[in-house]
Amino acid sequence: MADDKANAEAILSEVHKKISDAFDLFDHEFNKTVDVREIGTIIRSLGCFPSEVELHDVISEAEDEEPMGYIRFERFLPVMTRVLMERKFRPITEDLLLQAFEVLDQQNKGYLEAEELTKYMTLEGEPFTQEEMEEMLSAALDPEKNVIAYKDFVSMMVIDDAQ
Amino acid sequence: MGCGNTKPNQLQLKKCERGNIALHSSTAMRSALLIQRWYRQYVARLEMRRRCTWNIFQSIEYAGEQDQIKLYNFFAYLMDHFTPASSERNLISHIFRDNDLLRDIEWERYFNYKNIEIPDDYCGPHLTFPLTTCIVTELVEAFRNKQQLHSRYVLQLLGETWKLLRLLPNINHVSTCHSKEITICGDLHGHLEDLLLIFYKNGLPSMETSYVFNGDYVDRGKNSIEILLILFAFLLLYPNDVYLNRGNHEDHMVNLRYGFTKEVLGKYRLHGKKILKLLQKIFSWLPLATVIDQKVLIVHGGISDTTDLSIIAKMDRHRYLSSLKPPKHRRFLAKSKVCDDDSDVEDAGAVGSVERRRVFSLTYSSPSASLHRSMQQRRSLQSYSGVEEELQEQRRQAGLSVSVEHQSVCSETELTQAVEADAEEWKQLVDLLWSDPMSLDGCVPNEVRGGGCYWGPDVTEDVLNRHHLNLLIRSHECKQEGYEFCHSRRVLTIFSASNYYEEGSNRGAYIRLGPDLIPHVIQYQATRTTRDLTLRQSVGRTERSALRALREQFFAHKSDLMSVFQQYDPDNTGLISLKDWAVAMETVLHLALPWRVLRSQLVNSTQDGMLDYHSWFRELDITEPNKELAHTNVLETLYKHHSNLETIFRIIDTDNSGLISFEEFRQTWKLLSSHLKMEISDEAIVDLAHSIDFNHDGSIDINEFMEAFRLVDSTHHDMGNSMIEAPS
């Protein structure tokens, strides 16, 4: 019993340190606060895949009663710990991702036209900004044929992550 | 079509049903949402990696700067604690000798270029004086084509530059009504391609296009001398339209470590030494600041709470050959002069006298320092307590001890006053060249760099208001976008060396300022290949480079790391937890890095969260130079203190020949081991020396030696990735 407890404490402490390390990278003033606009990056870098709406929810939990434009570590830590321990916002697997692309590729061409993808990404779901769209295209687009071979794209990105 | 294939799930079925009808259903929305969620996560992780990479480079860079200053402090300490038996002192005493007492006519004789012949087969650029636009433009073109200027012309150009610089005030005053807009550039650090890019985009300096260059022209990049020659040429051509500020790298002590000395000696084998000596003078004569329309202040580093432009305007700036040490006090000009081999006229250099008092601190101790100590923990590297004690002792000595010959010159109170006035002046200079801004109010010593301070927004307000200024433009810090505003846009950092840490690491930028004094920033990035890289590719490339640098650090600290690992593994299983790994890294390396975030990229394989540390070291894939040395601690010292060793070599190599004798080699090691407080036996040193081939009659070539013992990352040779090789 005591062993389990010690184990649990050790795990918790590691989780805390992980969150702290990631937080500190964005704490430019060394006063344990982070600009609220960077919280999304921190949460995602810790391995979570929240949607924008889900992100907003986490942020409002971590914000002060009077939102000041920054998040304090002491409020962020318990919220984020819970997120990690409960394994919320689980990763999206390669398979699932591929399927999502295949859905959009209704004609089963094996690729998507640049226009097609842009339309979906900027009009549906939680739309991309122009900047986000451009960046994705620059990585995914085959400039000669003006199409996105999504299968290759997904595999490439996944390898990248593994590195 | 899609029906009947092997993945029966909701998405696929829906797709089957719909056929060619455009998808505007919840399906499309969910798929789009999924892709967006995934992509945003991916981008966030890239951003995290980029930030880590940046931190790595910056930590290592600043650790190096701090190291340099510690080394220098150690030398100064040696000087002040003279023991008759210490022969090491003689090796380094010359760096403490000032040679600004040499009369002009003797300098001109020493730097006489007229005897230098230009060979018939020389096909580099030619200079005639006075310079013309045509000649200077051709000089720029020649450098673009990778030609080298003959040493005769170099010395001639430098001589002319020196004559002009001596006439300039400490603070340049510029007006925008003279020419419509002024261009301001930041650190160039030997990156010629960036300077050429700026000229291409913005135009060459001329009466219509004024320029202010804000220091750090040299070191690190490989065309430092070419940049200097171009800037000096334009300065001579358009003295009312080109303004140069001094940076902390315009300093021969810094150049010994960061590559400029090496570059000059490599390019100019015969006359390099003279060129460097003349440059020492020139650097000391560079103005310290530029003010535009009495409203915009431009300095290389920054300010402190005590910054006072009236003090700066009045000082004899040329007395500060190196910002790392205070000048000899005026009153103690020795009566007798001694000539040494170089035929420099130098002070008799009384031993233990006040002028050799220690560089008492580049970072002074203020009450608020302790307040911010915890804040500084992440950035502050090693503790200063040991050095501080030594320094206080020396301060005390400096106040009291006056060498016998000078006692008659002035009283002790006059002495202390004079010493204090000098100290004040010196501090003003160091603050101007070394400081960095911070976001918290206040002003604290800059312990990361080891010189100058960190100053806060309140100090900016105070200093700017006191001097009736609107804006402070400074450089000194590499910025990802090439520039950065802070302190409510009252401070603007401008950095002009793109790809500074690595290809793709950052952009460069310059500023255009018109009569409205509103800064317009223009960004660029040299090397087309890096511009075309996607975010992912440029992060990847920079990251690989940073991780390589980190792995070399691990290897260099192997024995320290091993002993800490073994403490966590008392049963000798060969395994430690990842948590313990992170703690060990923090303890041994003293680099304020997010180890847990980096862990996934530095540790390849684990068994149940436990790391086999022996195989981890093997997997680091660092190729050791193939030297069989019996004394491994010497080897490791070599890796760990590579830069320090090279710096000491170059200091000892007084004739700048690139060669030192075996005896000097031995003395170098004695010095280094003294500084590091470690024991290195004579036997070990002899062994080391014998492992290198002696080339020139028993001399050791410094470059060859350093090269032979450079750590090489084995994966560096792997070109299997689809990375485009950028043209150099």
Side-chain angles (χ1 to χ4, degrees):
Chain A
M1 268 325 267
D3 258 355
D4 285 343
K5 185 164 188 275
N7 249 351
E9 272 173 17
I11 292 174
L12 193 63
S13 140
E14 263 305 274
V15 166
H16 282 176
K17 289 233 184 68
K18 253 179 92 168
I19 297 173
S20 177
D21 264 3
F23 191 89
D24 284 346
L25 264 178
F26 293 86
D27 175 14
H28 306 297
E29 311 198 354
F30 310 120
N31 58 359
K32 290 309 211 180
T33 68
V34 154
D35 189 321
V36 67
R37 290 166 295 184
E38 318 229 63
I39 288 285
T41 307
I42 297 175
I43 295 176
R44 287 179 167 126
S45 74
L46 287 164
C48 304
F49 287 70
S51 68
E52 296 290 294
V53 165
E54 288 165 332
L55 197 56
H56 276 294
D57 289 342
V58 174
I59 290 177
S60 27
E61 263 195 83
E63 261 178 335
D64 290 337
E65 278 75 32
E66 297 279 327
M68 304 275 276
Y70 58 79
I71 304 282
R72 289 182 294 121
F73 183 67
E74 50 205 30
R75 288 196 68 133
F76 182 67
L77 182 64
V79 173
M80 195 63 219
T81 306
R82 216 177 330 118
V83 165
L84 286 182
M85 299 299 266
E86 291 172 13
R87 297 175 193 268
K88 277 184 170 182
F89 317 134
R90 310 205 60 176
I92 296 168
T93 62
E94 187 180 348
D95 282 346
L96 216 48
L97 186 58
L98 205 50
Q99 281 169 19
F101 274 108
E102 283 168 355
V103 165
L104 300 183
D105 176 21
Q106 350 153 23
Q107 287 154 2
N108 224 358
K109 309 189 289 293
Y111 60 83
L112 284 169
E113 308 273 347
E115 259 183 60
E116 267 184 285
L117 184 62
T118 305
K119 200 179 51 149
Y120 283 123
M121 293 294 108
T122 56
L123 295 177
E124 301 279 358
E126 289 173 334
F128 272 174
T129 62
Q130 189 182 358
E131 212 184 309
E132 283 174 311
M133 194 65 238
E134 274 170 14
E135 175 55 41
M136 184 188 228
L137 283 177
S138 74
L141 190 65
D142 177 345
E144 283 170 38
K145 305 187 200 133
N146 214 40
V147 297
I148 293 106
Y150 51 82
K151 222 172 169 174
D152 295 335
F153 177 52
V154 170
S155 331
M156 178 177 78
M157 296 295 232
V158 168
I159 292 175
D160 228 26
D161 283 355
Q163 267 176 356
Chain B
M1 234 192 56
C3 291
N5 70 13
T6 55
K7 288 179 193 166
N9 66 29
Q10 196 137 18
L11 288 177
Q12 285 293 66
L13 288 171
K14 278 247 156 69
K15 184 174 159 184
C16 234
E17 287 163 1
R18 301 190 73 88
N20 286 328
I21 304 166
L23 287 179
H24 277 296
S25 68
S26 59
T27 319
M29 198 193 81
R30 271 187 308 196
S31 298
L33 190 55
L34 199 112
I35 296 172
Q36 287 155 347
R37 256 174 65 203
W38 165 82
Y39 189 72
R40 285 180 169 129
Q41 206 274 356
Y42 176 76
V43 168
R45 283 213 310 194
L46 264 189
E47 176 58 29
M48 195 55 134
R49 280 164 63 191
R50 178 174 33 200
R51 225 164 260 263
C52 280
T53 303
W54 194 263
N55 268 28
I56 292 173
F57 278 129
Q58 213 168 45
S59 298
I60 295 180
E61 174 180 21
Y62 292 164
E65 283 186 354
Q66 218 200 61
D67 225 15
Q68 167 76 345
I69 288 179
K70 280 191 191 157
L71 185 68
Y72 186 84
N73 287 351
F74 166 69
F75 288 155
Y77 175 77
L78 264 189
M79 294 302 298
D80 284 342
H81 289 67
F82 175 65
T83 52
S86 70
S87 53
E88 292 115 27
R89 201 172 155 282
N90 294 334
L91 287 174
I92 58 170
S93 59
H94 65 278
I95 63 176
F96 290 88
R97 283 200 292 259
D98 282 335
N99 48 20
D100 54 354
L101 300 174
L102 191 62
R103 281 193 294 272
D104 293 349
I105 194 163
E106 277 146 334
W107 279 106
E108 298 210 16
R109 185 161 38 92
Y110 183 69
F111 296 118
N112 190 9
Y113 61 90
K114 296 192 179 118
N115 298 333
I116 304 175
E117 296 271 319
I118 308 256
D120 293 328
D121 60 351
Y122 172 71
C123 43
H126 292 269
L127 296 182
T128 56
F129 288 79
L131 295 171
T132 64
T133 312
C134 192
I135 294 174
V136 179
T137 312
E138 277 174 13
L139 182 66
V140 176
E141 269 316 292
F143 287 154
R144 187 200 299 276
N145 294 324
K146 310 212 192 295
Q147 290 171 8
Q148 188 171 303
L149 184 66
H150 196 276
S151 48
R152 177 196 169 103
Y153 294 133
V154 174
L155 287 169
Q156 195 176 5
L157 179 59
L158 294 183
E160 294 298 312
T161 304
W162 176 50
K163 283 190 214 158
L164 173 58
L165 285 178
R166 284 188 306 169
L167 304 173
L168 296 181
N170 294 345
I171 303 179
N172 295 316
H173 285 275
V174 187
S175 159
T176 51
C177 61
H178 177 64
S179 76
K180 285 180 297 224
E181 279 196 337
I182 299 179
T183 306
I184 301 152
C185 299
D187 292 26
L188 287 165
H189 281 301
H191 286 217
L192 182 61
E193 60 276 13
D194 285 306
L195 183 61
L196 296 178
L197 190 54
I198 295 173
F199 285 165
Y200 178 72
K201 287 170 83 81
N202 194 58
L204 292 174
S206 68
M207 293 201 281
E208 291 77 46
T209 315
S210 293
Y211 274 87
V212 177
F213 292 96
N214 201 13
D216 276 13
Y217 314 116
V218 302
D219 281 330
R220 300 185 198 274
K222 47 188 184 50
N223 292 106
S224 299
I225 187 70
E226 281 78 25
I227 288 191
L228 279 184
L229 295 171
I230 290 176
L231 294 183
F232 292 158
F234 277 114
L235 175 68
L236 289 170
L237 194 54
Y238 300 114
N240 295 322
D241 300 288
V242 174
Y243 300 92
L244 303 180
N245 284 347
R246 188 178 185 182
N248 63 310
H249 276 259
E250 275 68 61
D251 182 331
H252 67 285
M253 285 299 298
V254 178
N255 300 148
L256 280 169
R257 187 188 186 101
Y258 288 103
F260 180 51
T261 307
K262 184 173 171 178
E263 180 190 323
V264 172
L265 295 178
K267 289 177 178 171
Y268 295 98
R269 291 192 181 275
L270 204 50
H271 298 104
K273 177 192 170 197
K274 279 193 182 174
I275 292 173
L276 286 171
K277 251 209 153 77
L278 188 43
L279 278 170
Q280 267 187 46
K281 306 266 309 153
I282 287 178
F283 286 164
S284 73
W285 276 106
L286 284 170
L288 301 174
T290 299
V291 176
I292 301 183
D293 287 351
Q294 301 177 55
K295 286 286 164 206
V296 178
L297 173 63
I298 308 174
V299 294
H300 174 74
I303 54 177
S304 76
D305 52 354
T306 56
T307 292
D308 184 342
L309 291 181
S310 60
I311 298 180
I312 292 173
K314 285 199 300 256
M315 65 166 76
D316 287 335
R317 69 181 188 273
H318 67 103
R319 291 166 61 221
Y320 301 87
L321 280 179
S322 165
S323 60
L324 289 176
K325 63 177 171 125
K328 204 186 308 276
H329 186 65
R330 268 165 288 228
R331 307 224 183 157
F332 301 129
L333 301 183
K335 305 256 161 57
S336 59
K337 298 194 194 293
V338 174
C339 292
D340 70 1
D341 299 342
D342 294 340
S343 65
D344 286 347
V345 173
E346 300 185 50
D347 185 46
V351 164
S353 60
V354 173
E355 53 264 35
R356 202 117 54 218
R357 74 188 152 82
R358 224 301 273 148
V359 166
F360 61 81
S361 187
L362 295 188
T363 66
Y364 64 105
S365 220
S366 73
S368 48
S370 51
L371 192 74
H372 292 274
R373 191 86 49 187
S374 53
M375 176 266 281
Q376 291 290 357
Q377 254 162 29
R378 235 172 31 93
R379 298 190 71 180
S380 163
L381 300 169
Q382 288 168 5
S383 87
Y384 270 61
S385 52
V387 180
E388 265 306 309
E389 277 144 24
E390 287 167 16
L391 299 180
Q392 281 184 29
E393 163 71 0
Q394 285 150 45
R395 232 170 293 178
R396 197 178 56 73
Q397 281 186 3
L400 299 178
S401 69
V402 180
S403 77
V404 176
E405 20 184 311
H406 299 304
Q407 242 164 15
S408 53
V409 174
C410 62
S411 71
E412 212 173 277
T413 41
E414 276 182 328
L415 160 64
T416 7
Q417 274 174 6
V419 165
E420 276 171 16
D422 258 4
E424 168 64 47
E425 217 180 62
W426 180 53
K427 180 185 181 298
Q428 293 277 336
L429 176 76
V430 173
D431 287 341
L432 229 51
L433 263 42
W434 286 82
S435 302
D436 291 313
M438 61 173 177
S439 14
L440 299 177
D441 279 346
C443 190
V444 295
N446 189 329
E447 286 176 1
V448 174
R449 292 196 196 258
C453 355
Y454 284 120
W455 86 89
D458 57 336
V459 175
T460 297
E461 280 308 303
D462 178 49
V463 170
L464 290 183
N465 291 338
R466 251 194 287 133
H467 295 92
H468 309 290
L469 298 164
N470 289 348
L471 174 66
L472 169 63
I473 296 178
R474 45 89 63 177
S475 303
H476 198 41
E477 282 181 301
C478 182
K479 295 293 176 190
Q480 190 124 32
E481 294 299 314
Y483 76 100
E484 191 174 272
F485 280 100
C486 66
H487 296 187
S488 311
R489 295 180 78 91
R490 298 272 262 168
V491 175
L492 172 55
T493 302
I494 188 76
F495 194 84
S496 301
S498 68
N499 305 328
Y500 180 63
Y501 288 126
E502 172 60 81
E503 295 283 337
S505 66
N506 64 289
R507 292 164 137 160
Y510 60 91
I511 302 168
R512 297 271 302 188
L513 204 66
D516 58 1
L517 299 183
I518 297 178
H520 297 279
V521 181
I522 296 100
Q523 297 169 293
Y524 55 83
Q525 195 154 16
T527 319
R528 179 179 305 137
T529 44
T530 48
R531 271 205 310 278
D532 290 346
L533 290 178
T534 62
L535 179 64
R536 169 186 149 262
Q537 284 170 320
S538 76
V539 169
R541 186 181 193 141
T542 320
E543 188 181 46
R544 269 192 290 280
S545 184
L547 293 176
R548 205 157 42 228
L550 253 193
R551 291 208 300 275
E552 285 169 14
Q553 290 275 316
F554 296 159
F555 193 81
H557 289 86
K558 183 169 171 177
S559 54
D560 288 342
L561 281 171
M562 269 303 199
S563 65
V564 176
F565 287 161
Q566 270 151 3
Q567 278 173 35
Y568 287 121
D569 178 24
D571 300 330
N572 241 341
T573 60
L575 300 172
I576 52 167
S577 71
L578 290 175
K579 167 177 166 287
D580 291 335
W581 177 88
V583 175
M585 289 295 133
E586 273 164 8
T587 329
V588 171
L589 293 177
H590 297 292
L591 288 173
L593 292 174
W595 292 109
R596 281 161 201 83
V597 176
L598 289 170
R599 190 166 50 202
S600 55
Q601 298 176 293
L602 295 170
V603 174
N604 278 339
S605 53
T606 58
Q607 307 159 246
D608 307 317
M610 299 294 281
L611 170 68
D612 177 341
Y613 51 91
H614 290 285
S615 63
W616 178 68
F617 266 117
R618 282 195 296 274
E619 283 166 21
L620 282 183
D621 235 358
I622 305 279
T623 311
E624 273 185 90
N626 195 5
K627 308 279 175 198
E628 279 154 24
L629 287 176
H631 313 271
T632 50
N633 73 326
V634 168
L635 205 55
E636 215 177 84
T637 307
L638 257 172
Y639 301 149
K640 255 196 269 204
H641 300 281
H642 204 256
S643 293
N644 275 345
L645 189 62
E646 182 163 0
T647 306
I648 299 176
F649 273 157
R650 296 200 184 279
I651 291 175
I652 285 180
D653 177 24
T654 48
D655 62 357
N656 285 339
S657 60
L659 302 171
I660 58 174
S661 69
F662 171 70
E663 184 50 34
E664 288 170 330
F665 180 77
R666 206 176 65 81
Q667 296 282 30
T668 304
W669 277 95
K670 286 253 173 265
L671 261 175
L672 184 63
S673 53
S674 184
H675 172 46
L676 300 173
K677 298 194 173 51
M678 54 183 285
E679 290 295 314
I680 296 185
S681 65
D682 263 358
E683 201 196 322
I685 295 174
V686 169
D687 197 26
L688 189 60
H690 284 151
S691 71
I692 318 150
D693 284 332
F694 284 96
N695 284 342
H696 311 269
D697 306 316
S699 295
I700 298 170
D701 184 314
I702 295 173
N703 286 338
E704 275 187 27
F705 179 81
M706 297 315 298
E707 218 21 58
F709 286 96
R710 192 166 66 88
L711 283 176
V712 176
D713 181 39
S714 313
T715 63
H716 194 61
H717 300 295
D718 170 36
M719 290 301 182
N721 297 323
S722 58
M723 290 315 300
I724 312 153
E725 271 295 290
S728 58

